[in-house]
C-alpha cells in the first residue's frame, strides 16, 4: 500500500474511534490530549480546556438502566478521555467509587414533594466535591505516567473550606503525589477546620494562615508563578499541579451522575423512554451545571437546565439580561460554596455559544478582567434558551428547609434548599410539570447550625457537635462517618503561618532549597 494511503488510513481509524482533543477557550491553537489537559489544569494562556466536540452516548439510557454507577462512569468517561486505555480508566473508577462512599448506589435518588433529589454527598467529606475529587488523583497519576512525567506531583490548594478537605481526602496516600492545603485560620467553620487538621496520610500538609481566603488564594497563585521555585522543584523531581474545579479531570466525572440519574428514573418507571427530565443545580463556579449541559449534549434525555443562585445572583442577572457583571457587593450567606462573583466554568459555555470562537471569548474575558463585566450578543443569548436562572434569598432558603422538614421529614442542606426554592419559582413561572432532578450537593450535617436554626430557632446554646446529634434525632438519619470520625480524631496538623511565609513553608515541607 502506498505510504500516503497508510497515513490516510491511520487518520481515518482515529476519526472512527472519535478521538476527543482539548483546546484552550482563549487560543484554539493550544491543543492537548485529555491526559495532557488533566496534568496542566489551566491552559498557559489563562483559558480553560474544552473538548473539540461533545461525544454522543453509545449506549441508550435503556441499555444503561441496569448498570452500576461504576459501569455508567466507564461508559461516559471513556468517550471523553479517549487516550486512556480501558484498563487504566476502569482502574481509576474502581479506586474512586468504593467503600469511601457510605452507600453502594454511590448517588441515591430520594423523592420528596414530587421532585427527585440526587444525593451527591455520600463520599468521604459529605459534599458533592467528592464525586470528582475521589477520582482526580487517579486520573492525574495515570496522566503523568502516560506522558512520561517522572516527577512527583505536588497539589497546592487554597480553600475556603469544602474543596480543601475533599482534595485532602482524595489525594491522601496516593502514591506519586503530595498535597498542601492553605486555609484562612479564622475563616472556616469549626467542623471544617477539624476535618482538615485531623487529615491522615503521610503526603498531606495543612496550614492555617493569618489572613482571609483571598490572601491564601493570592499566595498560592504567586507560588505557582514562581520560576525560581519551579526550577528548584524540577531539580528535586517535583512539579506543581492544581485540583481546581476548572480541571477537565473534575468536569468529566460530574457528567456521569446526570446520565446515571436518567437511567435510574427510567428503570424505576418514573419517566418513559424519550421523556426528558429537568435538572436544578445549586450553582457557584458553574462546574456542576455545565456537566449537566454536557450530559444533555451527549444525548441524555435532559430538558431544561435550571441554575439556582443565592443572594450573590450574578448568574441570574446574566441569564436575564445577557450581561455578566461582578461589580457588586459580595454577600456572605448560609450557602458559602455558592458565594462566588466570578463563575470560572461559565467561560466554557461562553466559548460554546460564541460558536467555539476563542478570539471572541478571549475578548469578553479580557473585558471581565479589566472592568468586571461583559455583554454577550443577541445571537449568543438566543442559544441559552435551555437555561433558566433564578435565586433564593436567605429567608426563602431557611423557609424551604423548615417547610420541607415539616411536610416530609426530609432535611435539606442550605445549598440544596436554594435549589429547591428556585425549583418552586420555576414551576410557578412556567407551569412546567416535567419530572425534575435536583442536585443535592451537601449533607445537612455539613451545615448543621444553619439547618437546625432554620427548622427551629431554639438551638443557640448547643455546641456544633451536640447539634449533630440533635439533627440525627429529628431527621432520623445516622450521623455520617465523616462527622463521627472527627469527634475523636487526633489533631495531626497544627501549622499556622503568616501570609508572607507561605513560600518558605512550602519549601520546608518539600525539603528543598534549605
Ligand atoms: C461547590 C459547591 C457548589 C457549587 O458548585 P459549582 O460546581 O461550583 O457550581 C454547590 N454546593 C456545594 C455544597 C458545593 O460544595
Amino acid at each position: 500500500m502506498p505510504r500516503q494511503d497508510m497515513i490516510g488510513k491511520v487518520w481515518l481509524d482515529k476519526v472512527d474511534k472519535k478521538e476527543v482533543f482539548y483546546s484552550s477557550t482563549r487560543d484554539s491553537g493550544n491543543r492537548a490530549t485529555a491526559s495532557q489537559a488533566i496534568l496542566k489544569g489551566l491552559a498557559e494562556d489563562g483559558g480553560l480546556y474544552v473538548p473539540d466536540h461533545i461525544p454522543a452516548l453509545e449506549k441508550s439510557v435503556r441499555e444503561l438502566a441496569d448498570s452500576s454507577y461504576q459501569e455508567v462512569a466507564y461508559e461516559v468517561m471513556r468517550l471523553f478521555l479517549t487516550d486512556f486505555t480501558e484498563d487504566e480508566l476502569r482502574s481509576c473508577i474502581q479506586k474512586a467509587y468504593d467503600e469511601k462512599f457510605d452507600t453502594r448506589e454511590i448517588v441515591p435518588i430520594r423523592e420528596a414533594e414530587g421532585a427527585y433529589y440526587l444525593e451527591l454527598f455520600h463520599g468521604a467529606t459529605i459534599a458533592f466535591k467528592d464525586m470528582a475529587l475521589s477520582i482526580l488523583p487517579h486520573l492525574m497519576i495515570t496522566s503523568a505516567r502516560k506522558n512520561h512525567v517522572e516527577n512527583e506531583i505536588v497539589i497546592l490548594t487554597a480553600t475556603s473550606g469544602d474543596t480543601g478537605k475533599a482534595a485532602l481526602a482524595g489525594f491522601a496516600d496516593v502514591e506519586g503525589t503530595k498535597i498542601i492545603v492553605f486555609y484562612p485560620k479564622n475563616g472556616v467553620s469549626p467542623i471544617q477546620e477539624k476535618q482538615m487538621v485531623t487529615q491522615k496520610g503521610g503526603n498531606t500538609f495543612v496550614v492555617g494562615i493569618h489572613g482571609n481566603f483571598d490572601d491564601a488564594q493570592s499566595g498560592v497563585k504567586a507560588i505557582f508563578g514562581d520560576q525560581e521555585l519551579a526550577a528548584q522543584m524540577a531539580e528535586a523531581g517535583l512539579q506543581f499541579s492544581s485540583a481546581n474545579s476548572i480541571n477537565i479531570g473534575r468536569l468529566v466525572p460530574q457528567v456521569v451522575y446526570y446520565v446515571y440519574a436518567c437511567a435510574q428514573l427510567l428503570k424505576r418507571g418514573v419517566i418513559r423512554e424519550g421523556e426528558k427530565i429537568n435538572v436544578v443545580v445549586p450553582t457557584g463556579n458553574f462546574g456542576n451545571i455545565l456537566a449537566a449541559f454536557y450530559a444533555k449534549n451527549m444525548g441524555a434525555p435532559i430538558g431544561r437546565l435550571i441554575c439556582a443562585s443565592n443572594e450573590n445572583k450574578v448568574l441570574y442577572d446574566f441569564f436575564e439580561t445577557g450581561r455578566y457583571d461582578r461589580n457588586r457587593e459580595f454577600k456572605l450567606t448560609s450557602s458559602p460554596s455558592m458565594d462566588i462573583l466570578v463563575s470560572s466554568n461559565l467561560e466554557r459555555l461562553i466559548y460554546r455559544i460564541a460558536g467555539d470562537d476563542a478570539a471572541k471569548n478571549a475578548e469578553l474575558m479580557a473585558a471581565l478582567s479589566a472592568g468586571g463585566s461583559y455583554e454577550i450578543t443577541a445571537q449568543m443569548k438566543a442559544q441559552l434558551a435551555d437555561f433558566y436562572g433564578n435565586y433564593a434569598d436567605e429567608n426563602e432558603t431557611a423557609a424551604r428547609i423548615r417547610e420541607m422538614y415539616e411536610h416530609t421529614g426530609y432535611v435539606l442542606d442550605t445549598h440544596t434548599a436554594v435549589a429547591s426554592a428556585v425549583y418552586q419559582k420555576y414551576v410557578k413561572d412556567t407551569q412546567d410539570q416535567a419530572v425534575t432532578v435536583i442536585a443535592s450537593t451537601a449533607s445537612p450535617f455539613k451545615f448543621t447550625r444553619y439547618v437546625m436554626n432554620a427548622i427551629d430557632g431554639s438551638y443557640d446554646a448547643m455546641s456544633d457537635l451536640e447539634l449533630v446529634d440533635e439533627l440525627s434525632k429529628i431527621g432520623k438519619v445516622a450521623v455520617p462517618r465523616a462527622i463521627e470520625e472527627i469527634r475523636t480524631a487526633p489533631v495531626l496538623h497544627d501549622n499556622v503561618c503568616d501570609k508572607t511565609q507561605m513560600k518558605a513553608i512550602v519549601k520546608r515541607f518539600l525539603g528543598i532549597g534549605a
Side-chain angles (χ1 to χ4, degrees):
M1 196 185 291
R3 196 178 150 73
Q4 202 55 39
D5 286 352
M6 280 286 291
I7 293 170
K9 172 98 177 36
V10 170
W11 184 78
L12 266 180
D13 276 352
K14 291 218 164 182
V15 171
D16 285 347
K17 260 189 69 200
K18 299 197 183 68
E19 191 121 1
V20 176
F21 285 96
Y22 292 80
S23 68
S24 164
T25 49
R26 299 190 193 177
D27 172 10
S28 42
N30 183 339
R31 277 164 68 82
T33 60
S35 63
Q36 289 166 345
I38 288 169
L39 272 178
K40 282 206 232 170
L42 199 67
E44 296 85 346
D45 50 53
L48 278 58
Y49 281 109
V50 278
D52 57 7
H53 67 279
I54 304 288
L57 283 171
E58 288 178 6
K59 285 194 177 165
S60 69
V61 180
R62 168 64 66 201
E63 285 171 291
L64 293 172
D66 289 314
S67 302
S68 64
Y69 188 83
Q70 293 81 352
E71 199 55 43
V72 175
Y74 177 70
E75 276 306 316
V76 170
M77 291 178 67
R78 73 181 177 88
L79 300 170
F80 280 102
L81 309 182
T82 47
D83 68 331
F84 282 61
T85 66
E86 172 163 1
D87 282 354
E88 285 169 342
L89 190 53
R90 284 196 189 275
S91 153
C92 290
I93 290 168
Q94 214 168 29
K95 287 177 184 147
Y97 305 113
D98 60 5
E99 306 78 52
K100 288 191 288 298
F101 285 77
D102 66 13
T103 159
R104 285 188 54 190
E105 294 170 274
I106 308 295
V107 289
I109 301 174
R110 161 93 185 234
E111 193 267 336
E113 292 183 332
Y116 293 82
Y117 288 82
L118 179 64
E119 295 188 346
L120 305 174
F121 56 75
H122 289 270
T125 75
I126 59 176
F128 104 97
K129 303 286 189 292
D130 291 327
M131 297 309 302
L133 281 166
S134 50
I135 193 164
L136 180 70
H138 304 291
L139 296 175
M140 208 173 257
I141 53 168
T142 306
S143 298
R145 206 160 48 224
K146 298 179 77 63
N147 289 279
H148 311 291
V149 169
E150 303 200 339
N151 288 337
E152 204 169 17
I153 307 284
V154 180
I155 301 293
L156 193 61
T157 305
T159 184
S160 54
D162 275 356
T163 304
K165 177 61 190 184
L168 283 164
F171 280 91
D173 288 328
V174 172
E175 213 173 308
T177 71
K178 285 188 164 66
I179 174 163
I180 306 174
V181 171
F182 289 98
Y183 71 95
K185 177 71 188 152
N186 296 313
V188 301
S189 81
I191 288 186
Q192 284 176 322
E193 179 170 40
K194 192 89 195 283
Q195 278 189 304
M196 288 191 279
V197 299
T198 56
Q199 178 64 49
K200 296 184 196 120
N203 64 339
T204 64
F205 303 92
V206 179
V207 191
I209 68 152
H210 299 301
N212 59 27
F213 171 65
D214 279 338
D215 296 326
Q217 179 96 322
S218 321
V220 162
K221 277 196 183 144
I223 295 173
F224 269 125
D226 189 318
Q227 295 305 318
E228 185 199 347
L229 183 59
Q232 290 173 325
M233 296 267 294
E235 212 166 296
L238 301 165
Q239 73 184 55
F240 284 127
S241 192
S242 161
N244 198 297
S245 85
I246 47 83
N247 195 312
I248 198 80
R250 280 187 62 178
L251 187 59
V252 169
Q254 295 179 174
V255 179
V256 174
Y257 43 77
Y258 291 108
V259 176
Y260 180 75
C262 293
Q264 288 297 308
L265 290 179
L266 185 70
K267 180 182 181 176
R268 291 197 201 171
V270 175
I271 54 171
R272 285 166 288 111
E273 221 148 331
E275 183 177 345
K276 288 184 177 168
I277 61 167
N278 289 335
V279 168
V280 191
V281 186
T283 297
N285 233 340
F286 211 76
N288 201 2
I289 193 166
L290 187 76
F293 177 70
Y294 279 16
K296 178 182 168 86
N297 283 280
M298 292 184 89
I302 294 172
R304 300 203 75 186
L305 301 155
I306 299 164
C307 176
S309 301
N310 63 22
E311 290 179 4
N312 295 293
K313 59 181 184 59
V314 192
L315 288 166
Y316 164 68
D317 293 340
F318 169 70
F319 285 117
E320 284 292 292
T321 64
R323 183 180 168 78
Y324 194 95
D325 189 355
R326 64 154 298 171
N327 300 307
R328 59 183 73 206
E329 189 195 342
F330 176 81
K331 298 193 176 153
L332 284 172
T333 73
S334 58
S335 44
S337 301
M338 298 160 69
D339 289 344
I340 285 176
L341 293 182
V342 177
S343 300
S344 333
N345 269 296
L346 183 66
E347 179 169 346
R348 289 189 163 111
L349 180 65
I350 297 297
Y351 171 85
R352 179 78 276 280
I353 61 174
D356 293 351
D357 184 340
K360 175 68 185 168
N361 173 68
E363 179 194 313
L364 296 176
M365 294 307 133
L368 178 64
S369 146
S373 71
Y374 62 82
E375 185 149 5
I376 59 172
T377 64
Q379 202 187 4
M380 288 168 75
K381 189 164 186 292
Q383 294 176 66
L384 295 177
D386 288 336
F387 286 89
Y388 169 94
N390 214 323
Y391 71 101
D393 68 22
E394 289 293 274
N395 288 332
E396 290 166 331
T397 304
R400 191 77 277 271
I401 293 173
R402 185 175 60 250
E403 284 165 18
M404 175 63 92
Y405 175 68
E406 283 170 358
H407 297 165
T408 69
Y410 189 44
V411 184
L412 300 174
D413 103 280
T414 46
H415 304 74
T416 310
V418 168
S420 184
V422 163
Y423 172 56
Q424 290 185 327
K425 291 184 183 186
Y426 170 77
V427 173
K428 212 166 158 209
D429 267 9
T430 62
Q431 311 296 318
D432 186 351
Q433 296 296 323
V435 170
T436 297
V437 163
I438 297 178
S440 184
T441 50
S443 158
F445 286 95
K446 191 133 199 178
F447 301 95
T448 313
R449 187 168 294 280
Y450 279 126
V451 168
M452 294 301 280
N453 278 336
I455 291 175
D456 177 343
S458 66
Y459 291 114
D460 282 356
M462 284 193 195
S463 74
D464 280 24
L465 284 173
E466 284 167 342
L467 276 180
V468 160
D469 290 325
E470 192 66 16
L471 172 55
S472 171
K473 203 166 82 192
I474 69 149
K476 301 189 179 62
V477 261
V479 176
R481 196 169 53 200
I483 300 285
E484 210 47 83
E485 274 172 7
I486 62 168
R487 284 185 204 264
T488 51
V491 170
L492 301 173
H493 305 268
D494 58 359
N495 302 295
V496 179
C497 79
D498 201 72
K499 62 187 179 194
T500 55
Q501 298 169 319
M502 288 169 64
K503 178 176 168 185
I505 209 158
V506 164
K507 288 173 77 167
R508 203 178 80 212
F509 284 153
L510 300 176
I512 56 175

